[in-house]
């Protein structure tokens, strides 16, 4: 479900750069936090704490945050050039 939310936010960002970019950032961070918590809880369940793998969930969300920031930057420049 989080992947679907990020995909819908990316599609929305093509039309509405600033609002869609913010949605991509929020959904991407939520996806990264969810992945990190899932990895962390799974590693605790098997009795092997893995902090590096837990960090991988946040790193996995990084492209979505970058894309969201880029969409917001494009939206800001297009808004100022139209004014």
């Amino acid at each position: 479900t989080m992947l679907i939310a990020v995909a819908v936010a990316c599609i929305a960002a093509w039309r509405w750069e600033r609002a869609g970019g913010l949605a991509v950032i929020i959904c991407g961070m939520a996806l990264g936090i969810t992945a990190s918590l899932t990895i962390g809880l799974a590693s605790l369940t098997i009795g092997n704490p893995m902090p590096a793998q837990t960090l991988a969930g946040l790193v996995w969300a990084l492209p979505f945050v970058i894309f969201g920031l880029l969409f917001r930057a494009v939206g800001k420049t297009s808004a100022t050039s139209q004014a």
Side-chain angles (χ1 to χ4, degrees):
T1 23
M2 291 303 302
L3 285 174
I4 293 171
V6 173
V8 169
C10 285
I11 292 170
W14 282 101
R15 175 65 177 99
W16 304 284
E17 291 93 358
R18 295 180 79 187
L22 182 62
V24 171
I25 293 170
I26 292 170
C27 289
M29 287 306 300
L31 180 65
I33 291 169
T34 303
S36 292
L37 289 175
T38 303
I39 293 168
L41 290 175
S43 66
L44 288 176
T45 302
I46 61 173
N48 187 11
M50 302 179 209
Q53 284 82 352
T54 305
L55 182 64
L58 293 176
V59 172
W60 191 65
L62 192 61
F64 297 112
V65 174
I66 292 171
F67 290 148
L69 291 172
L70 289 174
F71 274 120
R72 289 196 47 89
V74 167
K76 189 181 293 186
T77 58
S78 67
T80 57
S81 65
Q82 290 176 358

